[in-house]
C-alpha cells in the first residue's frame, strides 16, 4: 500500500491537477493533504472543487484558518474571502487540525501549533535544521513512527534516534515565500516544480520518495500579476524570492 502526501497548494489549481494526475498514474489511492489549500492570489474556488471531488483526507493549515478571520486587512486574504461562499467557509471550518492512522501522524506545523516550524529554526543566518532534542520535544507523545508536517514549503526528511521519521512533502503550489515572523526570512525550494511525497512500506522499512512535477505555470503567473503579487510571480517562475 502506497500513500501520497500533498500540502500547501495555495490555490494553484494547475499544480494540483498535475500532481493528482501523477498520483493517479502511479495507481495510488490514499492521499492526505496537510493544509494551506485555498489561500493565495490564484484560483481558490477551482482548487476547492477539485479537492472535494477527489478522495483526499484534508487537514487545516494556518492559511486556511485565517481565511475565516473577518477582521483581516491582508489584501490576498480579502481577495479569497470575496470569492468564498458559505459552502466553502463551512468546508474550511470543518477541517481537522490533525489526523492520525495506525502508522502516520499528520499536522501542518507542529502537533500543537499550525504557525510553527517543526524541523527548521530561523536566525539572522536564515533557515537551519533544529537540534534533534528540540524536534524530539515537539513530537513527544506521538505514537506513530511516521510524522508528516508542512508549512515551510521545503521538502525534507529527518530521522530521529527513537526510530521515528519526520517528513515534509514541500509545496504543491508555491515553491518559495518570505515571512516576517519570528524574524524576517525566506523559504526557497530552488525549483518551480510542484512537490509531493510518496511513502511505501516494504517489510519493516519505509521507502520515501520526494517527487517533483513540472506543470504549466502561465495561468498562475498571469493571475499573480493581475493581483499585484510580484513575489508570487518570481516564486512560481524560479522557486526563489
Amino acid at each position: 500500500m502506497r500513500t501520497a502526501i500533498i500540502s500547501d497548494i495555495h490555490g494553484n489549481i494547475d499544480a494540483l491537477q498535475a500532481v493528482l494526475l501523477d498520483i493517479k498514474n502511479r495507481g495510488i489511492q490514499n492521499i492526505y493533504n496537510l493544509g494551506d489549500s485555498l489561500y493565495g492570489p490564484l484560483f481558490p474556488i477551482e482548487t476547492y472543487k477539485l479537492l472535494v471531488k477527489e478522495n483526499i483526507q484534508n487537514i487545516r493549515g494556518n492559511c486556511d484558518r485565517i481565511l475565516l478571520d473577518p477582521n483581516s486587512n491582508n489584501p490576498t486574504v480579502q481577495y479569497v474571502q470575496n470569492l468564498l461562499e458559505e459552502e466553502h467557509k463551512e468546508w474550511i471550518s470543518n477541517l481537522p487540525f490533525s489526523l492520525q492512522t495506525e502508522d502516520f501522524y499528520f499536522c501542518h506545523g507542529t502537533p500543537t501549533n499550525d504557525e510553527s516550524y517543526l524541523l527548521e529554526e530561523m536566525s539572522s543566518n536564515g533557515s537551519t535544521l533544529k537540534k534533534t532534542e528540540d524536534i524530539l520535544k515537539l513530537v513527544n507523545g506521538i505514537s506513530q513512527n511516521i510524522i508528516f508536517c508542512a508549512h515551510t514549503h521545503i521538502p525534507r526528511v529527518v530521522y530521529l534516534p527513537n526510530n521515528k521519521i519526520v517528513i515534509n512533502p514541500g509545496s504543491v503550489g508555491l515553491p518559495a515565500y518570505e515571512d516576517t515572523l519570528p524574524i524576517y526570512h525566506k523559504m526557497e525550494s530552488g525549483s518551480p516544480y510542484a512537490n509531493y511525497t510518496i511513502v511505501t512500506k516494504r517489510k519493516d522499512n519505509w521507502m520515501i520518495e520526494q517527487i517533483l512535477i513540472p506543470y504549466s505555470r502561465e495561468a498562475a503567473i498571469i493571475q499573480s500579476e493581475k493581483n499585484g503579487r510580484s513575489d508570487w510571480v518570481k516564486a512560481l517562475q524560479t522557486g526563489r524570492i
Side-chain angles (χ1 to χ4, degrees):
M1 183 72 72
R2 291 187 293 172
T3 301
I5 301 88
I6 64 177
S7 190
D8 294 284
I9 304 161
H10 285 283
N12 192 335
I13 183 63
D14 292 314
L16 178 60
Q17 288 174 331
V19 165
L20 292 180
L21 178 60
D22 188 71
I23 292 171
K24 180 179 180 180
N25 289 340
R26 295 170 186 265
I28 300 173
Q29 296 182 341
N30 293 328
I31 308 173
Y32 289 86
N33 171 25
L34 306 185
D36 280 9
S37 299
L38 307 185
Y39 170 86
L42 302 179
F43 309 103
I45 305 306
E46 294 85 347
T47 300
Y48 162 81
K49 289 179 179 179
L50 184 54
L51 285 173
V52 298
K53 177 184 176 183
E54 300 294 329
N55 183 27
I56 299 174
Q57 297 292 314
N58 302 279
I59 66 173
R60 184 181 69 240
N62 64 302
C63 287
D64 300 311
R65 175 171 49 77
I66 65 175
L67 292 177
L68 300 178
D69 179 5
N71 299 314
S72 175
N73 58 6
N74 180 311
T76 300
V77 171
Q78 293 174 346
Y79 162 77
V80 178
Q81 288 177 335
N82 288 336
L83 297 173
L84 296 179
E85 298 180 357
E86 286 305 315
E87 171 190 351
H88 312 124
K89 295 176 184 178
E90 182 177 358
W91 180 79
I92 295 171
S93 65
N94 288 331
L95 292 173
F97 176 85
S98 62
L99 286 173
Q100 301 181 48
T101 68
E102 180 180 356
D103 294 313
F104 305 138
Y105 180 90
F106 304 94
C107 63
H108 182 74
T110 74
T112 59
N113 190 322
D114 62 15
E115 291 185 317
S116 296
Y117 297 154
L118 179 52
L119 298 177
E120 290 86 358
E121 62 182 1
M122 297 301 138
S123 70
S124 57
N125 295 321
S127 169
T128 57
L129 181 64
K130 285 181 178 177
K131 294 179 180 178
T132 298
E133 54 267 32
D134 292 333
I135 299 173
L136 285 169
K137 290 178 182 177
L138 290 171
V139 300
N140 182 43
I142 303 299
S143 61
Q144 291 82 359
N145 285 330
I146 306 295
I147 301 166
F148 293 98
C149 66
H151 192 40
T152 67
H153 298 204
I154 308 299
R156 192 188 284 275
V157 178
V158 174
Y159 295 81
L160 299 174
N162 58 1
N163 294 321
K164 296 184 186 297
I165 304 173
V166 184
I167 303 170
N168 188 323
S171 173
V172 169
L174 182 61
Y177 68 91
E178 56 187 344
D179 200 352
T180 57
L181 297 173
I183 62 173
Y184 174 79
H185 61 277
K186 297 179 181 179
M187 302 301 284
E188 300 175 307
S189 71
S191 164
Y193 285 13
N195 290 272
Y196 81 99
T197 297
I198 299 171
V199 291
T200 309
K201 192 170 187 179
R202 295 182 182 174
K203 296 183 179 180
D204 294 328
N205 294 313
W206 288 97
M207 307 297 293
I208 303 166
E209 301 172 75
Q210 299 282 44
I211 311 297
L212 283 80
I213 302 295
Y215 69 97
S216 175
R217 306 186 302 280
E218 183 178 359
I221 290 170
I222 291 173
Q223 189 72 358
S224 297
E225 291 174 336
K226 180 181 176 180
N227 284 307
R229 293 303 299 264
S230 60
D231 54 335
W232 280 61
V233 170
K234 185 171 183 181
L236 291 165
Q237 289 175 330
T238 66
R240 295 183 180 273
I241 287 293

